[in-house]
Amino acid sequence: MKVLHVIAGMDPKMGGVCQAVRTIVAGLADLGVDNEVVSLDAPDASFLADDSFRTHALGPAKGPWGYSAKLIPWLLDNFAHFDCVIAHGLWLYPTYAVEKAIRQAKSQGPVPRLYIMPHGMLDPYFQRATGRKIKALRNWAYWKLIEGRVINNADAILFTCEAERLLAREPFRPYHPKRDVVVGLGVEEPPAYTPAMRDAFLKHCPELEHQPYLLFLSRIHEKKGVDLLLNAYLKIAAEPVPVAATALPQKNDPAQLVVAGPGLETAYGQQMQQLASGNKNPQAVISFPGMLTGLAKWGAFYHCEAFVLPSHQENFGIAVVEALACRKPVLISNQVNIWREIEEAGGGIVADDTADGAQAMLAQWMQLSPEEKLAMGEHARACFVRNFATGPAANRLLEAIAK
């Protein structure tokens, strides 16, 4: 089988969708599937050289819609080489172009099967969130004109978890896909730990050489609840929480906090740095190393006490699963769609995506004894193996697209 993946861009700075595509391609390749990607990146984009699969970069795209006049002609010329097409993401030109090209090609003969993987972009959060009223109206109009046809004409819609599938039914009408299938999303095993990972991380955060820390690793964006995290951390730091009776010392000073990811240059990112700079507690240190990749990223994971993400909306959370794979407990909101699997496995702490929820989550973590934290880490690893390893997810996806 040969599969074409269509995506707006493969730049790692764009967030989780491009990483999901890389993981999906790797999982399918292990099952003998031949994969290619077409994107609207610039052909000379440096990050494309890091991928082992072939990417047809037809960009750079123009405007916020991500338009490229090259895409539909390329699709029409190359459909015959593929058994199926998976379009990743919604609301941009590439998904529209794929569906339109499929309709045009049908008059000429057989066409590949078309699957849409929304990656959480049908979540009702985006229609209900404060400050998104204009965008919500725009999405309704776009749904009526374009996206509804894309979804309802596809051979199937592929979801990463059951929560995503159910939430996708809420925001738009008419919504009647031919099939909606939960295929999951596997995350590759992290590389085995090496001292070089620690060294690479400490180049970004030398102040943490002998200090425990909590790790946030995602985009610095309002949706991720960074403000909730910082405010909760600063409050906890001002009034340390007593530890469990079996733990020493008698007062549980807060671990330091690493807020890593792209977006520090945005207005929101600058606000978060200003908020952190107001901290006067020498025991509570907040570090902003920027985006961590490669060895530095894995060093951050392996050496943290726990991973924290009080997000207002998270379809899957690849970084959450990477933390689980590294035996790290995860402190997450119940708006991360895989929270049920994690809570059931005992691999973390789950709370509301509110100020009180974030503070309670950190307080609960601090009250755990070292033995309880270690046990939670083992449960985290078991949760990864059972629910999020690449093999089972790739098998489910292959079964879905082979029909």
Side-chain angles (χ1 to χ4, degrees), residues 190-203:
Y193 173 75
T194 65
M197 293 175 178
R198 179 177 183 272
D199 295 341
F201 171 65
L202 290 176
K203 288 181 180 179

Side-chain angles (χ1 to χ4, degrees), residues 8 11 13 36 63 134 153 207 219 252 276 292 302 345 379 384:
D11 187 344
K13 294 181 180 179
E36 294 184 16
I134 294 177
N153 285 352
E207 68 277 10
R219 284 187 301 135
N252 197 357
L292 299 177
Y302 275 117
H379 294 320
F384 165 77

Side-chain angles (χ1 to χ4, degrees), residues 112-258:
R113 298 180 298 278
L114 173 61
Y115 301 94
I116 306 295
M117 200 162 189
H119 295 278
M121 295 181 191
L122 288 176
D123 195 299
Y125 164 84
F126 298 107
Q127 294 300 100
R128 300 171 182 169
T130 303
R132 287 186 56 91
K133 290 184 178 180
I134 294 177
K135 291 181 179 179
L137 291 173
R138 177 202 64 189
N139 286 352
W140 253 114
Y142 192 87
W143 177 268
K144 293 294 186 180
L145 293 171
I146 294 174
E147 210 71 287
R149 183 180 66 242
V150 171
I151 291 294
N152 295 325
N153 285 352
D155 290 281
I157 312 302
L158 309 176
F159 295 105
T160 59
C161 60
E162 179 67 11
E164 183 195 3
R165 185 176 76 93
L166 296 177
L167 288 169
R169 298 174 178 180
E170 297 182 16
F172 300 106
R173 296 289 183 274
Y175 177 81
H176 46 77
K178 296 175 183 177
R179 283 198 301 146
D180 57 349
V181 185
V182 176
V183 296
L185 181 61
V187 172
E188 292 183 271
E189 279 280 350
Y193 173 75
T194 65
M197 293 175 178
R198 179 177 183 272
D199 295 341
F201 171 65
L202 290 176
K203 288 181 180 179
H204 294 271
C205 297
E207 68 277 10
L208 295 174
E209 184 169 6
H210 302 294
Q211 300 295 328
Y213 61 92
L214 300 175
L215 175 66
F216 170 98
L217 194 152
S218 190
R219 284 187 301 135
I220 313 301
H221 189 279
E222 184 177 5
K223 190 190 83 164
K224 304 292 184 175
V226 184
D227 53 311
L228 298 181
L229 173 59
L230 294 186
N231 282 312
Y233 177 77
L234 293 174
K235 288 181 179 179
I236 292 288
E239 299 179 7
V241 180
V243 295
T246 57
L248 293 174
Q250 293 301 310
K251 185 180 79 170
N252 197 357
D253 290 326
Q256 297 185 18
L257 177 63
V258 174

